[in-house]
């Protein structure tokens, strides 16, 4: 059985990946939707043509990850696509952020994403794809978003390294690096939404646009997906030398 797995599927870009992959995956039997909230995933599943499995779980909990590992072992699927969208950010100065906020960001954006990737890899074959939601925040350290931006730099670096490591198995890994996207992420990240800067508001894209570009870039075998002129300019300005070295390492 061929399956596509999407984490963070109850909202924003995860839900949008489910909708767009539903239209474009022809050799995939089921789409598995993962997030904590079951109801929005049930509603989403009703709109999809593919058979779906809804796995309501907190990907940061050891017990839930263990249960997911058992589901994989019992179903023994071939994972055609893994999209790691579950992620969160908390805006605010490092010294004033609660220990919990800092730990939650690291546990979800770094640890859970890494564990999900490692857990799914044995079920992937030649042609399988991994799409990791990094961020444009991966390109430049961000004051007042320090831990979030650092966590996304980790996702970006991990994804590109794995893309090289797994090339021999025919598995592609792509980091998606959007600027601000119009999803519930931002209202969760900012206690006071008026603190969202004018530049960020101007560069804001819709989830549909970012995901369509990511799906197309993934099909083309790209290792990074960057959408919109401001983010492309930032990407080229900051990653030029790294890209050159990346080709030869
Ligand atoms: N929106 C932006 O401006 C932006 C820009 C660049 C990158 N990104 C990245 O893109 C990804 C998707 O973000 P989004 O904008 O689509 O945000 P979103 O609408 O807030 O979606 C986040 C998703 O993560 C899930 N999630 C959160 N904590 C979880 C947990 N402990 N276990 C399982 N699932 C969990 C949420 O579902 P439940 O609450 O139901 O668990 C939700 O489905 C994130 O990694 C984010 O960092 C976002």
């Amino acid at each position: 059985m061929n399956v596509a797995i999407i984490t963070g599927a109850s909202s924003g870009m995860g839900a949008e990946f489910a909708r767009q992959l539903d239209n474009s995956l022809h050799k995939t039997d089921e789409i598995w939707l993962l997030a904590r909230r079951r109801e929005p995933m049930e509603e989403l599943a009703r709109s999809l043509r593919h058979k779906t499995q809804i796995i309501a779980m907190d990907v940061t909990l050891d017990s839930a990850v263990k249960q997911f590992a058992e589901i994989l072992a019992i179903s023994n699927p071939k994972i055609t696509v893994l999209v790691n969208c579950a992620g969160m950010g908390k805006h605010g100065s490092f010294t004033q952020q609660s220990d919990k906020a800092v730990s939650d960001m690291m546990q979800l954006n770094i640890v859970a994403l890494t564990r999900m990737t490692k857990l799914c890899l044995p079920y992937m074959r030649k042609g399988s794809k991994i799409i990791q939601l990094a961020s444009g925040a991966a390109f430049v350290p961000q004051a007042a978003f320090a831990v979030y931006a650092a966590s996304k730099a980790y996702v970006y670096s991990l994804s590109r390294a794995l893309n090289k490591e797994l090339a021999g198995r025919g598995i592609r890994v792509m980091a998606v690096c959007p600027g601000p996207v119009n999803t519930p992420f931002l209202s969760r990240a900012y206690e006071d939404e008026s603190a969202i800067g004018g530049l960020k508001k101007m560069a804001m894209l819709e989830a549909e646009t970012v995901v369509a570009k990511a799906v197309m870039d993934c099909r083309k075998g790209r290792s990074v997906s960057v959408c919109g002129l401001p983010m492309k300019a930032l990407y080229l300005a900051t990653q030029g030398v790294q890209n050159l070295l990346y080709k030869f390492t």
Side-chain angles (χ1 to χ4, degrees), residues 99-205:
D99 291 349
K100 183 175 176 335
V102 169
S103 166
D104 284 353
M105 277 185 274
M106 294 193 297
Q107 286 302 322
L108 181 60
N109 299 356
I110 298 175
V111 180
L113 175 138
T114 308
R115 288 177 90 184
M116 288 301 295
T117 304
K118 204 154 191 306
L119 209 54
C120 289
L121 267 171
Y123 301 92
M124 296 188 148
R125 302 285 175 272
K126 190 168 185 247
S128 296
K129 321 259 192 226
I130 303 175
I131 300 175
Q132 311 282 35
L133 262 289
S135 166
F139 302 148
V140 184
Q142 280 191 26
F145 232 156
V147 175
Y148 176 73
S151 75
K152 292 302 180 177
Y154 170 89
V155 175
Y156 176 74
S157 176
L158 178 79
S159 306
R160 300 202 80 187
L162 291 186
N163 187 47
K164 289 247 162 165
E165 246 186 67
L166 298 170
R169 283 176 59 187
I171 298 170
R172 309 294 314 224
V173 185
M174 185 181 79
V176 183
C177 300
V181 186
N182 187 14
T183 71
F185 170 89
L186 289 170
S187 54
R188 289 179 189 140
Y190 286 80
E191 264 171 37
D192 172 11
E193 282 189 58
S194 66
I196 303 176
L199 272 179
K200 275 197 174 163
K201 281 184 185 151
M202 269 168 57
M204 184 93 70
L205 294 174

